[in-house]
């Protein structure tokens, strides 16, 4: 038996998430511009960019893996999104838990890295190296924040975490989880690839790192992937710490709130070098994370 | 003739025959048959084993050796036999000598014997057979590394022998069942004190820790795993390290209750298990960090292997049924993905003759099948759903967090990040980037090696999409419904993972992305040398791939910690004792007749004073 309602929901959420993801990217650029007293592009600029890239007559390829990388990344981002409860739409979220979603959110990275590596461009290689080292650095505090959350709520299931927050108040209202959220927010900055952790793309330093070789439809796919990923990650944040949402509007407000914190932080701080980032992650966020997990044992 | 006897000794027999009839073609056929028989018989015995254990007793020179094929030993033996079969196919391509076949198959028998033994006589004998055979495999290539392995194995063996001696003195028995019951009764009798229990635990932990490569006893592993035939390493790291892991389970089975009674609990965890969990966690972190910084493909996988076995120790250390389930599952997934990695490494080394990352690159176009197999192994090790590696890691996560071991669970998170980093290093260093001009005429690996890889790659995919097949069997071993769900779905008390649905979602995602890709414009193929270089002209003679020190910034961030090394510590210790012995030799055996006569006089004097003369 085919569950038509679910299929419609999936299609609807995918379209909505892609669109909102692009708007988030637009907000990011616009807000950054306003902070720097520029006018900035319109909110829908990323959509125009992507459509333009898709319309290119020809794109170059460095081989099968180079093509497969972005496709795999976008596919994995979509898969990750389907396992997060988006507002009142459960999608597949009752069949996967926090660890699965946390892993699925990391898979796109592997896709991008695969494609970037096969391009043979040294800037891409540097970008790959930086990306993985950032990931290694942030993994420990990230893990600790998630562990604190799981230990407090006593379940791995995202839908149950949302339900429990509905009954007992948002995660942030619990002191230990507030610490966990601060840790998670620092890590979040690196997950979105924003300053001070925009080491991976590092514009004006290594020419967008992994993405440097990509143009045309490949770049369009990567843009779309970034849009879906931003939507999924902000929704993940809202679900874990801000009590989820009962409708899309509530979710949107929470996502934008999370996004603005990230943008404000990003516009203040300059970029870390990679070893500084590693040392930073293994100092304060880790200490805070350990405090959080010990408080929730 | 009993099946267990056939399972146990066919590999050894085949090894001896292959060594005796050392002709091209003959030894390979004999060896392959010898390696395939155990797996075939294990499959045949499967229906019998799940009904009730199959027993067999062998009387040799007054000793009775008991063997039993229960649910757990079947699992371990089946994993070892699967890797053993793949190893045999690999050896067909990589080895040209009967010597390799003899000792490779001898260690096969040793491993199976360790898993099937029901008493300490057989266990110890076959344990030593396994160690000896693997030592001989390393000795052929590198004397220094083989000696390191030998010394640590001897320490382990003495520790085990001492522990067995103490147990025999206290219980008067050598078979597992009697010892187990005696130790349970002893909890109320109290003839074995707390100190002695701790001593026994430490001795066994040393013995099994050496084989599993637990930090700080891991120093032999990087050298020994790399300095041997790489097809054999698939078995060495995939199956032999599991003997150490099996030993840890044996500690639980024999002494678990006694250790609990004597040592009690620590913050709600079994104290002795907590020790094992932390050893595992430290092994994961230390070995993974070292793996990231390696410049040699074999060293990288050797350290990674040590780290992955650390996951298993950690899982067993959690001490809950879920922990055992996760650990047992990881025994299988580690064997298949790490075995696959070593076979891929064997293929690379066979075809290029190089081992360092700085001499390789761009091989994906030359060896596409090997690359695909390598990619499967990478996805499985990095724990990308839906692969076997993810299912087992997921269980370990659930177990560690559910048991409220947050810091231990944090080590898994860190370890998996590091695993991501080192597999990508492998991908980049070997397969991508510009190809050195000397590698232009590299060809795809020979057929037997490709078959070997396929044998191990299929389970990675099958048990990834249907992890319930494995957990269903593990439930039988643990005699309870530890992990619920069906073939495709794993359900624990607090979490759930539907592998089939994750695969479906990935396929949906890939389909959408693929459609966007296909809808887009045609792509024009350009070589890897034709890239954007910020306006710098690039000529062919410069290889622009990062060949050396790929993770230099990490080494810089870890500068402080990298100054300390267990390996260097042991080497220094060895040097010290060597110097000490040397000094003794020079002081006493100085070649002076007069001093020799003095020694004689002194000895005579002492004896006279003692009243002997």
């Amino acid at each position: 038996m085919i569950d038509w309602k679910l299929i419609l929901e999936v299609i609807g959420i995918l379209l909505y998430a892609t669109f909102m993801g692009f708007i988030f990217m637009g907000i990011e650029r616009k807000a950054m511009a306003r902070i720097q007293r520029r006018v900035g592009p319109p909110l829908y600029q990323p959509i125009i960019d992507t459509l333009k890239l898709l319309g290119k007559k020809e794109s170059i390829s460095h081989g099968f893996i180079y093509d497969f990388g972005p496709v795999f990344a976008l596919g994995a981002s979509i898969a990750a999104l389907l396992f997060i409860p988006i507002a009142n739409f459960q999608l597949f979220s009752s069949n996967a838990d926090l660890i699965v979603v946390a892993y699925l959110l990391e898979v796109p990275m592997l896709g991008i890295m695969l494609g970037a590596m096969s391009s043979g461009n040294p800037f891409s290689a540097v970008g790959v190296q930086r990306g993985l080292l950032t990931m290694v650095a942030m993994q420990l505090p990230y893990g600790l924040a998630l562990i604190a959350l799981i230990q407090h709520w006593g379940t791995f299931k995202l839908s149950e975490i949302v339900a429990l927050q509905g009954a007992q108040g948002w995660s942030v209202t619990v002191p230990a989880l507030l610490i966990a959220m601060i840790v998670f927010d620092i890590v979040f900055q690196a997950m979105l690839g924003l300053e001070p952790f925009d080491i991976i793309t590092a514009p004006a330093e290594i020419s967008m790192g992994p993405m440097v070789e990509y143009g045309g439809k490949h770049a369009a796919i990567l843009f779309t992937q970034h849009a879906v990923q931003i939507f999924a990650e902000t929704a993940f944040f809202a679900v874990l710490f801000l009590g989820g949402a009962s409708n899309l509007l509530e979710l949107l407000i929470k996502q934008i709130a999370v996004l603005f914190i990230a943008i404000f932080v990003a516009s203040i701080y300059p970029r870390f070098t990679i070893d500084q980032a590693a040392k930073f992650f293994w100092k304060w966020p880790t200490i805070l994370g350990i405090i959080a997990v010990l408080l929730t044992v | 003739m009993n099946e267990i006897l056939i399972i146990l000794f066919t590999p050894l027999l085949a090894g001896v025959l292959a060594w005796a009839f050392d002709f091209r073609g003959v030894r390979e056929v004999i060896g392959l048959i010898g390696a395939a028989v155990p797996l075939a018989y294990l499959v045949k015995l499967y229906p019998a084993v799940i009904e009730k254990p199959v027993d067999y007793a062998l009387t040799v020179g007054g000793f009775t050796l008991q063997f039993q094929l229960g649910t757990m030993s079947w699992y371990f033996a089946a994993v070892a036999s699967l890797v053993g079969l793949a190893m045999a196919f690999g050896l067909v391509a990589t080895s040209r000598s009967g010597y390799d076949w003899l000792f490779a198959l001898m260690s096969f028998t040793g491993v199976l014997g360790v898993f099937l033994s029901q008493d300490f006589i057989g266990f110890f004998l076959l344990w030593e057979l396994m160690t000896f055979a693997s030592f001989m495999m390393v000795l052929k290539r590198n004397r220094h590394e083989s000696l390191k392995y030998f010394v640590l194995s001897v320490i382990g063996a003495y520790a085990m022998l001492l522990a067995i001696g103490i147990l025999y003195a206290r219980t008067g028995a050598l078979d597992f069942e009697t010892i187990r019951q005696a130790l349970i009764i002893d909890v109320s009798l109290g003839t074995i004190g707390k100190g002695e229990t701790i001593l026994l635990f430490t001795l066994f932990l040393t013995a099994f820790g050496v084989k599993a490569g637990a930090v700080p006893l891991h120093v032999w592993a990087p050298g020994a795993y790399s300095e041997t035939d790489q097809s054999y390493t698939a078995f060495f790291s995939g199956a032999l390290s599991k003997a150490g892991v099996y030993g840890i389970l044996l500690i639980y089975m024999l002494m678990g209750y006694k250790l609990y009674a004597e040592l009690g609990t620590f913050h709600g965890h079994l104290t002795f298990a907590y020790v094992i969990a932390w050893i595992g966690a430290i092994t994961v972190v230390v070995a993974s960090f070292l793996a990231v910084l390696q410049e040699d493909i074999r060293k990288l996988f050797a350290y990674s292997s040590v780290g992955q076995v650390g996951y298993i120790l950690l899982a067993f250390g959690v001490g809950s049924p879920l922990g055992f389930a996760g650990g047992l599952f990881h025994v299988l997934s580690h064997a298949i993905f790490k075995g696959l990695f070593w076979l891929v490494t064997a293929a690379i080394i066979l075809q290029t003759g190089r081992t360092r990352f700085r001499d390789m690159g761009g091989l994906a176009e030359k060896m596409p099948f090997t690359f695909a197999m390598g990619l499967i192994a990478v996805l499985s090790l990095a724990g990308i759903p839906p692969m076997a590696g993810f299912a087992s890691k997921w269980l370990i996560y659930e177990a560690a967090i559910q048991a409220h071991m947050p810091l231990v669970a944090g080590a898994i998170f860190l370890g998996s990040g590091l695993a991501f980093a080192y597999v990508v290093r492998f991908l980049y260093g070997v397969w991508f980037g510009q190809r050195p001009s000397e590698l232009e005429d590299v060809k795809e690996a020979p057929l037997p090696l490709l078959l070997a890889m396929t044998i191990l790659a299929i389970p990675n995919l099958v048990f990834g999409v249907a992890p319930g097949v494995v957990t269903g069997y593990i439930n039988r071993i643990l005699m309870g419904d530890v992990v619920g769900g069906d073939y495709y779905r794993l359900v624990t008390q607090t979490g759930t993972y539907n592998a089939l649905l994750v695969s479906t979602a990935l396929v949906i995602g890939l389909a959408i992305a693929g459609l966007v890709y296909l809808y887009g414009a045609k792509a024009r193929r350009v070589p890897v040398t034709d890239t954007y270089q910020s306006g710098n002209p690039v000529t062919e003679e410069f290889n622009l791939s990062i060949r050396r020190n790929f993770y230099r910034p990490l080494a810089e961030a870890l500068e402080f910690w990298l100054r300390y090394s267990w390996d260097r510590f042991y080497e220094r210790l060895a040097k010290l004792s060597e110097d000490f012995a040397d000094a003794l030799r020079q002081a006493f055996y100085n070649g002076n007749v007069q001093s020799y006569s003095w020694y004689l006089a002194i000895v005579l004097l002492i004896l006279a004073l003692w009243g002997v003369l």
Side-chain angles (χ1 to χ4, degrees):
Chain A
M1 198 204 96
I2 305 170
D3 191 350
W4 288 106
K5 184 167 163 285
L6 184 69
I7 291 175
L8 282 178
E9 270 180 16
V10 166
I11 294 171
I13 286 292
L14 277 181
L15 289 175
Y16 172 77
T18 317
F19 177 74
M20 283 324 291
F22 277 125
I23 296 296
F24 287 170
M25 285 161 74
I27 291 175
E28 201 183 302
R29 288 174 70 176
K30 186 83 179 172
M32 206 76 96
R34 294 308 300 153
I35 291 169
Q36 296 164 352
R37 305 208 173 165
R38 290 184 283 119
V39 178
L43 285 183
Y44 51 83
Q45 185 67 35
I47 301 178
I48 299 177
D49 288 349
T50 309
L51 288 177
K52 180 204 76 176
L53 284 170
L54 267 179
K56 291 265 181 189
K57 282 250 160 45
E58 189 185 61
S59 52
I60 60 145
S61 164
H62 287 289
F64 174 71
I65 294 293
Y66 180 84
D67 303 332
F68 176 70
V71 172
F72 183 59
L74 176 56
S77 282
I78 291 173
L81 180 71
L82 295 183
F83 286 95
I84 301 174
I86 305 291
N88 41 349
F89 302 103
Q90 287 293 318
L91 305 178
F92 297 164
S93 66
S94 58
N95 267 304
D97 61 25
L98 215 160
I99 301 287
V100 179
V101 174
Y103 258 81
L104 280 172
L105 281 173
E106 273 168 15
V107 179
M109 174 94 143
L110 186 71
I112 297 175
M113 296 302 166
L114 262 180
M117 284 190 291
S118 70
S119 73
N121 190 311
F123 291 121
S124 303
V126 175
V128 169
Q129 176 230 53
R130 291 174 173 209
L132 284 155
L133 289 184
T134 317
M135 195 170 133
V136 164
M138 74 185 203
Q139 205 70 19
L140 186 57
Y142 177 55
L144 290 173
L146 294 185
I147 293 167
L149 196 82
I150 298 166
Q151 282 186 344
H152 180 80
W153 295 118
T155 175
F156 287 76
K157 289 178 191 140
L158 285 174
S159 44
E160 280 181 24
I161 291 177
V162 173
L164 282 167
Q165 289 184 72
Q168 301 172 19
W170 296 1
S171 296
V172 279
T173 54
V174 182
L177 292 189
L178 181 64
I179 300 175
M181 192 195 78
I182 294 169
V183 176
F184 191 86
D185 194 55
I186 297 171
V187 172
F188 194 63
Q189 205 76 17
M191 280 165 81
L192 291 183
L194 289 171
E195 288 96 341
F197 306 111
D198 63 337
I199 315 162
I200 306 171
T201 51
E205 189 185 334
I206 52 168
S207 320
M208 298 307 283
M211 272 66 97
V212 55
E213 272 301 294
Y214 284 107
K217 61 176 175 179
H218 296 84
I221 292 177
L222 282 175
F223 267 48
T224 318
Q225 185 269 332
H226 191 62
V228 177
Q229 187 80 6
I230 280 195
F231 185 89
E233 279 169 357
T234 44
F236 190 49
F237 193 120
V239 164
L240 291 186
F241 292 100
L242 304 178
S246 53
N247 56 52
L248 284 176
L249 185 65
E250 194 189 337
L251 184 72
L252 187 63
I253 293 168
K254 285 174 180 171
Q255 281 175 306
I256 287 178
V258 168
L259 194 66
F260 265 104
I261 295 174
I263 293 169
F264 291 155
V265 173
S267 51
I268 295 171
Y269 287 98
R271 184 183 307 147
F272 271 134
T273 64
I274 176 69
D275 57 323
Q276 283 170 339
K279 281 180 187 157
F280 169 77
F281 271 125
W282 290 335
K283 203 183 262 170
W284 296 112
T286 304
I287 293 171
L288 285 176
I290 289 175
I291 294 173
V293 291
L294 292 183
L295 283 176
T296 49
V297 160
Chain B
M1 188 112 168
N2 189 288
E3 280 103 342
I4 289 185
L5 202 62
I6 298 174
I7 291 174
L8 267 183
F9 291 107
T10 326
L12 183 60
L13 185 68
V16 173
L17 286 177
W19 176 72
F21 301 101
D22 190 4
F23 308 110
R24 201 195 153 90
V26 179
R27 62 164 182 261
E28 277 83 5
V29 171
I30 298 175
L32 274 179
I33 293 172
V37 165
L39 190 62
Y41 269 92
L42 284 169
V43 171
K44 188 187 155 217
L45 283 179
Y46 176 76
V49 169
I50 56 173
E51 289 298 320
K52 73 177 186 52
V54 181
D55 285 298
Y56 181 70
L58 179 71
T59 313
V60 189
F63 284 107
T64 307
L65 304 184
Q66 292 173 22
F67 297 102
Q68 190 185 56
L69 198 61
T71 42
M72 191 166 83
S73 34
W74 188 89
Y75 182 73
F76 274 90
V79 169
S81 305
L82 185 66
V83 182
L85 183 61
M87 164 197 78
F89 273 106
L91 275 180
V92 171
T94 57
S95 172
R96 291 277 169 275
S97 81
Y99 179 99
D100 285 345
W101 281 99
L102 171 62
F103 289 111
L105 290 174
M106 189 188 278
S107 66
F108 196 161
T109 291
V111 171
L112 291 178
V114 166
F115 294 149
L116 296 186
S117 287
Q118 278 304 302
D119 57 45
F120 270 121
I121 306 171
F123 186 83
F124 187 75
L125 282 178
L126 288 156
W127 180 278
E128 287 307 304
L129 185 73
M130 162 185 97
T131 308
F132 166 72
S134 49
F135 161 73
M136 292 302 275
M137 288 298 282
V138 185
L139 179 68
K140 191 182 166 196
R141 314 282 161 127
N142 188 323
R143 199 161 165 272
H144 180 76
E145 294 301 341
S146 73
L147 280 180
K148 216 192 283 180
Y149 176 43
F150 186 73
V151 169
L152 276 155
S153 298
V154 164
I155 292 173
Y158 276 133
M160 198 198 303
L161 205 56
L162 262 178
I164 294 172
I166 296 173
L167 276 180
Y168 185 65
R170 291 296 180 185
T171 62
L174 283 170
D175 63 308
F176 294 163
E177 190 51 38
T178 322
I179 291 177
R180 195 175 71 84
Q181 278 165 5
L183 284 176
I184 290 173
I185 295 167
D186 193 72
V187 169
S188 45
L189 293 177
T191 45
I192 303 178
K194 188 174 179 179
E196 211 162 335
T197 316
I198 294 175
L199 179 69
L200 274 175
F201 178 58
T202 320
L203 288 174
F204 273 129
L205 208 57
T206 313
F208 301 135
V210 168
K211 197 50 92 206
V215 171
L217 301 171
H218 66 287
V219 289
W220 62 270
Y225 284 164
S226 24
E227 294 296 336
T228 171
D229 191 300
Q230 303 309 321
S231 302
Y232 177 66
T233 318
F235 189 70
F236 199 170
S237 124
L240 254 71
S241 62
K242 302 303 175 314
V245 170
Y246 178 78
I248 302 287
L249 281 183
L250 207 59
I251 295 182
Y252 270 98
M253 286 189 293
L254 298 184
M255 305 176 56
Y257 187 57
K258 176 75 183 164
L259 281 167
Y260 162 65
E262 292 290 345
L263 300 177
T265 57
F266 175 81
H267 287 284
H269 312 299
L270 298 172
T271 312
F272 77 98
Y274 203 56
V275 172
I276 298 176
W278 269 107
I279 289 176
I282 291 169
T283 306
V284 168
V285 172
V286 171
S288 303
F289 264 121
L290 289 173
V292 171
L293 298 174
Q294 295 307 311
E295 293 295 314
D296 185 313
I297 181 172
R298 299 169 303 172
K299 284 268 164 64
L300 187 152
F301 286 131
Y303 274 111
S304 133
S305 195
V306 173
Q308 295 293 325
V309 175
Y311 277 102
I312 306 176
L313 294 184
L314 186 156
F316 288 161
V318 168
S320 63
L322 196 59
F324 287 116
L328 285 170
F329 200 155
H330 208 64
V331 164
L332 172 68
S333 38
H334 173 257
I336 52 183
F337 66 63
K338 197 40 72 69
L340 186 52
F341 262 130
W342 283 112
L343 291 171
V344 169
T345 313
I348 295 166
I349 294 176
L350 184 69
Q351 297 307 96
T352 67
R354 291 150 189 239
T355 62
R356 293 177 157 270
F357 286 120
R358 66 158 182 246
D359 303 326
M360 292 191 271
L363 287 175
E365 290 169 14
K366 295 285 173 186
M367 304 167 75
F369 188 82
T370 313
F371 169 66
M373 292 296 134
L375 197 60
I376 290 177
V378 161
L379 295 177
S380 193
L381 187 145
I384 304 298
M387 288 281 171
F390 178 75
S392 57
K393 245 186 205 172
W394 179 80
L395 280 174
I396 298 176
Y397 273 117
E398 301 266 322
I401 300 177
Q402 226 179 65
H404 289 285
M405 290 193 177
L407 297 181
V408 170
I412 318 179
F413 269 99
L414 183 58
S416 66
L418 289 165
F420 234 79
Y422 63 68
V423 293
V424 166
R425 167 85 169 107
F426 158 75
L427 283 179
Y428 179 70
V430 177
W431 306 108
F432 299 131
Q434 271 163 269
R435 191 166 40 242
S437 50
E438 307 90 77
L439 296 182
E440 275 313 319
D441 46 2
V442 168
K443 299 212 167 45
E444 181 59 275
L447 184 67
L449 207 48
L450 298 183
L451 275 177
M453 291 182 219
T454 318
I455 291 174
L456 292 183
I458 291 170
N460 269 306
L461 297 169
V462 171
F463 296 139
V465 179
V469 178
V470 182
T471 53
Y473 186 79
I474 288 172
N475 284 341
R476 276 182 210 279
I477 299 179
L478 299 173
M479 288 178 284
D481 209 12
V482 179
V483 184
D486 47 35
Y487 282 158
Y488 307 110
R489 216 154 58 90
L490 302 185
V491 179
T492 66
Q493 282 167 2
T494 47
T496 161
Y497 163 54
N498 188 333
L500 189 65
L501 200 61
V502 171
S503 324
T504 317
L506 263 177
V507 170
I508 295 174
L510 283 177
I512 296 173
L515 277 180
V516 175
Y517 179 83
L518 289 179
Y519 163 79
K522 270 234 154 24
R524 176 166 55 91
R525 184 73 194 273
V526 294
V528 284
T529 44
D530 185 5
T531 52
Y532 167 78
Q533 304 294 348
S534 314
N536 294 314
V538 182
T539 48
E540 292 270 339
E541 57 269 31
F542 294 107
N543 193 325
L544 289 169
S545 311
I546 308 177
R547 294 273 162 242
R548 259 176 274 186
N549 287 334
F550 191 73
Y551 288 124
R552 180 86 176 268
L554 185 70
E556 279 165 15
L558 292 172
E559 211 180 355
F560 173 76
W561 296 101
L562 291 175
R563 272 185 286 159
Y564 303 95
S565 149
W566 283 102
D567 201 17
R568 286 201 291 278
F569 171 72
Y570 289 131
E571 295 275 0
R572 202 172 298 161
L573 210 63
K575 188 84 181 50
L576 265 181
S577 58
E578 208 175 296
D579 286 351
F580 178 66
D582 217 36
L584 274 186
R585 192 169 60 87
Q586 277 171 6
F588 290 98
Y589 297 96
N590 50 12
N592 187 339
V593 183
Q594 252 188 349
S595 33
Y596 288 155
S597 53
W598 270 110
Y599 299 154
L600 197 62
I602 292 169
V603 171
L604 284 177
L605 188 67
I606 292 172
L607 289 177
L609 286 176
W610 208 340
V612 179
L613 288 177

